[in-house]
Amino acid sequence: MLKAVKVRLYPTTEQQEALAKSFGCARWYWNYALHQCIQHYEETGKSLKLSVYKAYLPQLKVQHPWLKEDCYSAVLQCVAINLNKAYTNFFEGRAKFPRFKSKHHKQSIQYPQNVKVVGDCLEIPKIGVVKAVFHRPIEGKLKTVTISKTPTDKYFASILLEVDGEAGELSGNKTLGIDLGIKDFAIVHDGEQIIKHSNPKHLKRHEKNLARKQKKFARKVKGSNSRNKYRKLVAKVHATVQNSRQDFLHKLSRKLVDESQVIIVENLNVKGLVRNRKLSKSISDVGWGMFVNFLDYKLKRKEGQLVEIGRFFPSSKTCSCCGHVLDELTLDIREWDCPKCNTHHDRDGNAALNIRNEGIRILSMGGGNPVLADGGCVRPPTRKGKGRRSMKSEAYTVP
């Protein structure tokens, strides 16, 4: 079982310069190899193999001695492997085409070996012993270490460990159905009661401060020290928003996982949902995809299970009592009465209960993940003259 621990680093001035040189060498080789791949494809129509641009390294080190002097050799080998992974993900539809790296954004390098934990420090080849803050013990076999520098000039090390696959302490035996929204971030139904967790709206709380600093940043002369100073101030606001979002999602996911053994959610098409220009900012800020990922890995550690039902399952329009499905349910209707059994429903609570019931039905049939509740194609129906629909209106809730 693989486990990653992220720790803060505090390098000295000399170590920061050494890291900057390593970042620069890795970035230069990535851009060089990517350029060779693009050029080879334009000339031959075929992709360049990993072994080919790996074989460029000995000659490049002769032509550019700083590649050998300033950067650990295994780091450049990892750059080639990561570029090959980026191409594989692109061709298999999991990511966009690889881009050239810039020195003005986040920097990172990967060490596959020879990094040691020495007390409260990390010993890194060609960098030295760097002070670190370990918030938990480093246990297990060390696999790789990724050193990164954020736009706010903070240094981190992500330590990948191989640990024994022991299950975590079992706690909670509930089966939860979760409906994700915008006004209320998560509406949780355990079969007996509804619990709503409100959306903190992380970005909205910092929008005025961010706009003010971005306006000052835009007025600075390019290349000036003043512009660089305000660039960091803007980056710090973005980092605050990101940290507060992750903190909220980690705490909520931990609470729900500790209470349950099975969690059932919808398989939302977030990429399609953000195409709605009126709700794109709110959907991007809320972090549904990150939340589901957190639930998934935390449940796996305690041998729990995450079930995803199909994104086109009509959870909001279906009566949880009699199963009647409404023809239409507009977004402004937050409560409704079933025309068949006259049961009064809260829109979001009813959706969470339907999601829970559908997940239990799928589990009883022995279904696995990813699961399609409707049993059909994941693509939405095509309307004549309108093109293909890629958004599910039920996922929206009125802000």
Side-chain angles (χ1 to χ4, degrees), residues 282-297:
S282 298
I283 293 172
S284 299
D285 179 44
V286 79
W288 291 331
M290 187 183 296
F291 178 66
V292 173
N293 288 339
F294 288 171
L295 290 175
D296 188 25
Y297 86 79

Side-chain angles (χ1 to χ4, degrees), residues 17-50:
E17 293 177 358
L19 283 170
K21 291 179 180 179
S22 295
F23 290 141
C25 292
R27 185 176 62 246
W28 184 90
Y29 177 56
W30 170 282
N31 292 340
Y32 177 86
L34 179 57
H35 173 71
Q36 294 298 320
C37 291
I38 295 173
Q39 192 174 32
H40 183 268
Y41 182 81
E42 290 175 349
E43 293 174 354
T44 64
K46 297 180 180 179
S47 299
L48 199 61
K49 293 183 179 179
L50 171 63

Side-chain angles (χ1 to χ4, degrees), residues 129-389:
V129 179
V130 183
K131 183 181 177 182
V133 176
F134 297 98
H135 58 282
R136 61 184 64 186
I138 305 299
E139 300 173 346
K141 181 182 178 182
L142 196 148
K143 300 289 287 183
T144 63
V145 175
T146 302
I147 310 295
S148 60
K149 177 188 176 184
T150 67
T152 56
D153 292 345
K154 293 181 181 179
Y155 294 84
F156 294 92
S158 180
I159 306 172
L160 184 65
L161 303 167
E162 186 176 7
V163 298
D164 296 333
E166 298 179 358
E169 182 180 352
L170 295 177
S171 59
N173 56 1
K174 294 181 180 180
T175 298
L176 304 180
I178 302 179
D179 181 46
L180 299 174
I182 295 178
K183 180 181 179 181
D184 293 307
F185 172 74
I187 300 89
V188 183
H189 206 302
D190 61 1
E192 298 179 357
Q193 60 178 343
I194 304 170
I195 301 175
K196 295 187 178 182
H197 299 274
S198 59
N199 179 13
K201 298 182 179 179
H202 311 280
L203 182 60
K204 189 173 182 179
R205 288 186 295 163
H206 297 273
E207 266 187 329
K208 288 185 178 179
N209 183 26
L210 181 61
R212 183 173 64 252
K213 290 180 178 176
Q214 283 178 328
K215 186 182 291 185
K216 292 181 179 179
F217 170 69
R219 290 171 177 168
K220 303 301 177 183
V221 179
K222 288 187 178 180
S224 65
N225 291 332
S226 180
R227 182 180 175 87
N228 188 48
K229 173 185 174 182
Y230 274 91
R231 178 191 62 78
K232 292 181 183 178
L233 291 176
V234 172
K236 284 182 179 180
V237 179
H238 283 294
T240 301
V241 174
Q242 180 185 11
N243 292 338
S244 63
R245 182 188 297 115
Q246 286 192 358
D247 181 69
F248 168 75
L249 296 179
H250 270 300
K251 288 178 178 177
L252 179 58
S253 60
R254 171 51 58 198
K255 178 178 182 296
L256 296 176
V257 168
D258 287 345
E259 295 174 353
S260 63
Q261 192 64 26
V262 178
I263 295 180
I264 305 162
V265 296
E266 284 182 295
N267 180 17
L268 296 175
N269 179 20
V270 179
K271 286 185 178 179
L273 293 171
V274 295
R275 293 174 188 165
N276 184 315
R277 61 185 180 85
K278 294 184 179 179
L279 294 174
S280 58
K281 183 188 290 187
S282 298
I283 293 172
S284 299
D285 179 44
V286 79
W288 291 331
M290 187 183 296
F291 178 66
V292 173
N293 288 339
F294 288 171
L295 290 175
D296 188 25
Y297 86 79
K298 287 172 183 175
L299 282 168
K300 285 179 180 177
R301 285 185 181 177
K302 60 173 282 186
E303 292 188 347
Q305 188 172 2
L306 177 72
V307 179
E308 292 181 295
I309 69 171
R311 63 186 62 163
F312 302 113
F313 175 69
S315 56
S316 298
K317 298 191 295 183
T318 303
C319 175
S320 56
C321 294
C322 66
H324 177 74
V325 181
L326 298 178
D327 295 331
E328 187 178 2
L329 186 65
T330 57
L331 292 175
D332 59 324
I333 300 176
R334 310 314 303 171
E335 298 181 359
W336 57 280
D337 294 319
C338 176
K340 189 173 181 180
C341 65
N342 296 323
T343 304
H344 183 74
H345 293 295
D346 172 77
R347 180 192 182 108
D348 297 329
N350 176 66
L353 180 56
N354 282 327
I355 290 170
R356 181 181 184 274
N357 293 338
E358 181 64 15
I360 293 174
R361 183 189 70 81
I362 292 170
L363 286 174
S364 65
M365 296 174 62
N369 285 331
V371 178
L372 300 180
D374 55 4
C377 178
V378 298
R379 295 185 181 274
T382 302
R383 294 183 297 173
K384 188 175 181 180
K386 297 291 185 179
R388 178 170 288 151
R389 298 178 62 188

Side-chain angles (χ1 to χ4, degrees), residues 17-18 20-32 57-73 76 126:
E17 293 177 358
K21 291 179 180 179
S22 295
F23 290 141
C25 292
R27 185 176 62 246
W28 184 90
Y29 177 56
W30 170 282
N31 292 340
Y32 177 86
L57 277 173
Q59 184 180 358
L60 289 173
K61 288 179 181 179
V62 173
Q63 295 175 357
H64 308 284
W66 42 268
L67 279 175
K68 185 176 182 180
E69 297 169 1
D70 299 338
C71 189
Y72 186 52
S73 59
L76 299 178
K126 291 208 173 185

